[in-house]
Structures are given as structure tokens and as C-alpha cells.
Amino acid sequence: KPLALPGAHVVVSDPWLCRHLPGPLGCPEPAPGWAGPATETGPPSAFPPNGGSPAAVHTGTVPAEGLGDPPSAASGSSRARKAGRALQGLGSRCWRQVKREQRRPRTDRLLQAKKEIEKHSINDKQVVLCISVDVSQDYSQVENVIKQAQEKLGPVDMLVNCAGMSISGKFEDLEVSTFERLMSINYLGSVYPSRAVITTMKERRVGRIVFLSSQAGQVGLFGFTAYSSSKFAIRGLAEALQMEVKPYNIYVTVAYPPDTDTPGFAEENKTKPLETRLISETTSICTPEQVARQIVRDAIHGNFNSSIGSDGYMLSSLTCGMAPVTSITEGLQQVVTMGLFRMLSLFYLRSFDTIIRRCMVERTKHEITDKTA
Ligand SMILES: NC(=O)C1=CN([C@@H]2O[C@H](COP(=O)(O)OP(=O)(O)OC[C@H]3O[C@@H](n4cnc5c(N)ncnc54)[C@H](OP(=O)(O)O)[C@@H]3O)[C@@H](O)[C@H]2O)C=CC1
Ligand SMILES: CCCCCCCCCCCCCCCC(=O)[C@@H](N)CO
């Protein structure tokens, strides 16, 4: 079910993803028919009928008022012109927290992200709008921001819940407040924006909601007691929500990326326990571009699961549980491979235990030499 959204309006709760959203997917030139003439009978087709790439998936947006008509729509009726305008691209809103007493708003990064996205515009009608808000604190604020955005750019076609953070450490070393914080940013920070867009999506019978979990949301790992649980929560939310909204033609995607080279990852590495680092090194580090490309592709196709690489594939198959399937092939693959992957996972688990034991032995040795010195 490719997302048949001509000119989807995408809201991304984090510049990380918008900055790296790919240009027209697998389609070096704007797809034929993209932003073509809006006529009395119908809008231009941004998503080519051949199942090819959406022309503006990287984030152009529905032009805000005052930008004039799309050039080719000039001859259409006002309704068609409006449709043409509304269908010209993807919207992106990046939310940042602005509570000064808690975090410094990094407007520079936000503006940089905006500029990078704009570089990929295929025409000057595409708009990138950034609005700062803390997605995890006050629902009414989040709802307000969504309202503002919808007033300016029309209803949201795709929401990407990307804002999140990771703090690792041994269970007893983590502050109790860390558990609350991660739950509120990673979990509630995805609930609030989704809650704010769902009514309109249901009314319009159109929509995509993307959640960012993690490979650490498929398997609980040393050092991630606070992080893994907040990412597991996303999965429960997504499964339940998907069951509710499927009849309304709304599709939910949960992404489970491995370590990805982002500022947040660099930050996480400063305090990561050695065990966590060594275990995580089982999977290779991805670039944000790779991850973003995969997520957008899966969201457009309405895939519930979005994973990357062979470990990602194995983990998703192994942990599919009762998650919805997008195709019969996917279901059959899970049935056939699950036993084998479970077998493999036992080896992985044993190697993780070995890592943890070795680290413990090394630490004890150091403690002894420190004491004798
Ligand atoms: N990088 C990785 O290895 C992996 C990351 N992920 C997930 O991907 C998502 C993006 O991660 P990544 O890009 O690495 O993280 P970064 O820390 O690099 O970026 C996170 C972004 O989210 C914003 N943000 C954080 N909290 C809030 C909030 N309460 N309200 C609004 N915005 C907020 C931050 O804004 P500001 O700059 O103002 O702080 C920042 O722009 C997260 O959900 C993460 O858990 C999943 C798997 C692997
Ligand atoms: C057959 C079974 C195959 C099993 C493979 C198991 C591999 C487990 C590795 C998990 C890596 C966790 C990365 C977390 C990334 C993340 O979310 C943080 N970087 C966030 O900042």
C-alpha cells in the first residue's frame, strides 16, 4: 500500500531526521507528473502512479499562504489551485524544546537543518517551517503547535515522532529521575504529537505515523534499563494504535535503528558503560542518511516494521510477536526464519554474557592492583 499522498505534509519532531531525509527516493529527477498542472478535475500527482518515488519526500512543504499559485496551476479554478498548492510538497516542522531554564534552545542547529532541507527543494513553492516546542511536557502546547502548523500548511499527512534521547548506565547508577525523563521524552513525546494529529487524520482517512524505537527497543541490553524500557513502550503504543486506525487508512511505522552517527549518539558515548559499548558494537554504526531513507521508504509503503541491515532484519523477525504484518511474504518469512534466528540469538546472548563477565573480571583486577599500589 504505497502512501498515495500527493504532496504529503510531514511533521518531524526532530531536525535529525529532517536533515537527512532523502531527496526523491530512488528518483534522481522529479518524478514525472510531479507538481504537474492542477486542473479542474484533479490535483497534480506528486506520487507517481507507477509506484515510483514521491517527488518531494525530503520535506518540501505545502506552500503557506502568500506564496502565490503554483505556476502551472494558474489556469485552474480556485479550488483546483488550492488543491494544487496543497499538494505541492511535504511539510516539515521541527520541534525544539525552548524551556530556557532546562535546556538551551539550539536554534542554530534548527536553522542549519532548515537550510539543508531547503537545498533539496525541487521548486521554490516548498516550505520548511520550524516551530519550537517541548514535545514531552505539556500536551496543550503540543496541540497548539499542531494547530498552528495545520492552519498554515493544511492537515498533516505524515507525522514522524523522532525527538528522543538516550542515557545509559548501570541500573543502580542511574538517577531515578532519568527513568522519568526518558519515559517522558521517548514515550510521552511520541504520544502527544500523535494524539494531536489523529483526529484530523481519521476524518480525512489518510495518514502515516512514524515512531522511533531502537534495536534496544527489541532487546533489553546492559546499561539500557531506562532507555530500553522507554523504547519498548513505543512498540506497545504503536501496535495498539495501528489496530485502531487501520480501518481509517492510517498506517503506523516503528523504526528500530542500530547505533547511528548523530550528535545524540556522540553524547551518549561520553558516559556509556564499557559493556554497553562492546555489546552495541555487535551491529555496525549507520549514517543518519541510511536510516532516514529506510524509514521514509517504509512509512510510505505503510510497513509496520522498519529495520536496517541484516541484524536489523533478524531482530525484527525474531521479535515480531503479534505485530501486524504488511504482506503475506513478510509473515511467511517470519514463520520460516524464527527458529533459526532464535538459535542464532542464543549465541549472541552468550557472547554478551561473556563480555559482561570479562569486564567484571578486569574491573576486579584493577581494583585489586589499585588497593595494593
Ligand atoms: N543515534 C542513535 O544511535 C539512535 C537513535 N535512535 C532514536 O532516534 C531519535 C533521534 O535520535 P538522535 O538523532 O540520535 O538524537 P539527537 O540527540 O542527535 O537529536 C535529538 C533531537 O530531539 C530533540 N529533542 C529532544 N528532546 C526533545 C523534547 N522534549 N522536545 C522537543 N525536541 C526534543 C533534540 O532537540 P535539542 O537539540 O534542542 O536538544 C534534538 O534535536 C531518538 O528517538 C533516538 O532515541 C534510535 C536508535 C539509535
Ligand atoms: C538473530 C538475532 C540477532 C541479534 C543481534 C543483536 C544485536 C544487538 C545489538 C543492539 C545494539 C543496540 C543499539 C542501540 C542504539 C540506540 O538506540 C542508542 N545508540 C541510542 O542513542
Side-chain angles (χ1 to χ4, degrees):
K1 312 161 251 55
L3 174 67
L5 287 177
H9 173 180
V10 179
V11 173
V12 184
S13 69
D14 169 12
W16 169 74
L17 191 87
C18 11
R19 204 180 300 138
H20 296 289
L21 285 174
L25 291 174
C27 189
E29 294 302 320
W34 155 247
T39 63
E40 302 272 354
T41 49
S45 159
F47 286 65
N50 57 10
S53 340
V57 86
H58 51 279
T59 53
T61 70
V62 182
E65 65 284 348
L67 284 172
D69 301 329
S72 49
S75 59
S77 70
S78 87
R79 203 167 130 246
R81 269 203 302 276
K82 226 171 142 192
R85 267 208 297 271
L87 296 167
Q88 287 253 332
L90 300 168
S92 165
R93 316 243 159 70
C94 305
W95 288 313
R96 314 300 298 287
Q97 184 165 6
V98 284
K99 280 189 146 182
R100 272 166 210 279
E101 67 282 9
Q102 279 178 16
R103 341 161 66 218
R104 217 160 28 96
R106 285 174 286 191
T107 342
D108 48 329
R109 262 169 62 182
L110 190 58
L111 289 175
Q112 189 197 342
K114 180 169 150 61
K115 272 192 199 141
E116 283 178 42
I117 297 160
E118 281 167 346
K119 268 192 235 153
H120 295 277
S121 301
I122 56 161
N123 64 42
D124 57 6
K125 304 289 175 204
Q126 294 184 312
V127 177
V128 181
L129 172 67
C130 299
I131 307 177
S132 294
V133 71
D134 183 339
V135 287
S136 69
Q137 295 298 318
D138 178 359
Y139 175 67
S140 62
Q141 262 185 25
V142 176
E143 197 182 26
N144 250 335
V145 162
I146 294 279
K147 241 185 221 151
Q148 270 177 49
Q150 307 220 68
E151 273 161 22
K152 285 203 175 131
L153 302 177
V156 176
D157 295 310
M158 187 191 286
L159 168 73
V160 184
N161 290 296
C162 192
M165 74 178 306
S166 148
I167 298 173
S168 54
K170 273 188 271 177
F171 190 52
E172 70 272 25
D173 295 341
L174 291 171
E175 298 286 340
V176 170
S177 61
T178 300
F179 290 83
E180 293 162 1
R181 202 160 150 224
L182 289 195
M183 214 56 192
S184 105
I185 297 178
N186 295 346
Y187 171 67
L188 294 177
S190 294
V191 173
Y192 295 167
S194 308
R195 179 70 175 69
V197 300
I198 199 69
T199 310
T200 316
M201 280 188 180
K202 280 175 91 169
E203 278 165 13
R204 296 174 65 230
R205 301 274 195 282
V206 167
R208 291 289 188 272
I209 298 182
V210 180
F211 294 103
L212 262 288
S213 179
S214 157
Q215 285 190 352
Q218 295 178 305
V219 47
L221 295 171
F222 188 108
F224 281 143
T225 46
Y227 181 71
S228 277
S229 39
S230 69
K231 291 298 187 181
F232 268 74
I234 297 267
R235 159 80 172 260
L237 166 69
E239 281 190 14
L241 180 64
Q242 177 63 93
M243 201 181 274
E244 276 188 28
V245 300
K246 196 173 165 189
Y248 296 86
N249 193 35
I250 298 168
Y251 289 91
V252 173
T253 298
V254 191
Y256 301 99
D259 279 336
T260 307
D261 187 13
T262 65
F265 179 57
E267 198 57 39
E268 175 194 73
N269 278 337
K270 289 181 189 164
T271 57
K272 213 178 203 168
L274 179 62
E275 290 90 335
T276 315
R277 192 162 60 76
L278 294 174
I279 291 171
S280 304
E281 280 171 4
T282 309
T283 55
S284 50
I285 300 179
C286 277
T287 64
E289 288 86 348
Q290 287 173 308
V291 176
R293 188 173 285 274
Q294 188 61 44
I295 292 175
V296 172
R297 195 172 287 159
D298 286 319
I300 286 169
H301 285 92
N303 297 345
F304 183 75
N305 179 85
S306 178
S307 53
I308 201 160
S310 50
D311 316 293
Y313 173 76
M314 291 194 289
L315 265 176
S316 287
S317 197
L318 180 61
T319 63
C320 64
M322 261 185 76
V325 277
T326 313
S327 65
I328 297 179
T329 327
E330 189 192 3
L332 285 178
Q333 277 181 11
Q334 289 162 349
V335 170
V336 172
T337 59
M338 199 178 265
L340 177 69
F341 292 163
R342 176 59 182 154
M343 191 71 196
L344 259 176
S345 81
L346 299 180
F347 291 100
Y348 277 101
L349 287 172
R350 214 169 73 154
S351 79
F352 298 163
D353 285 343
T354 309
I355 289 173
I356 293 161
R357 210 169 338 103
R358 286 208 180 127
C359 285
M360 212 169 144
V361 170
E362 283 300 309
R363 270 202 200 103
T364 327
K365 264 194 213 159
H366 280 291
E367 271 165 25
I368 292 169
T369 43
D370 282 355
K371 273 184 195 156
T372 50

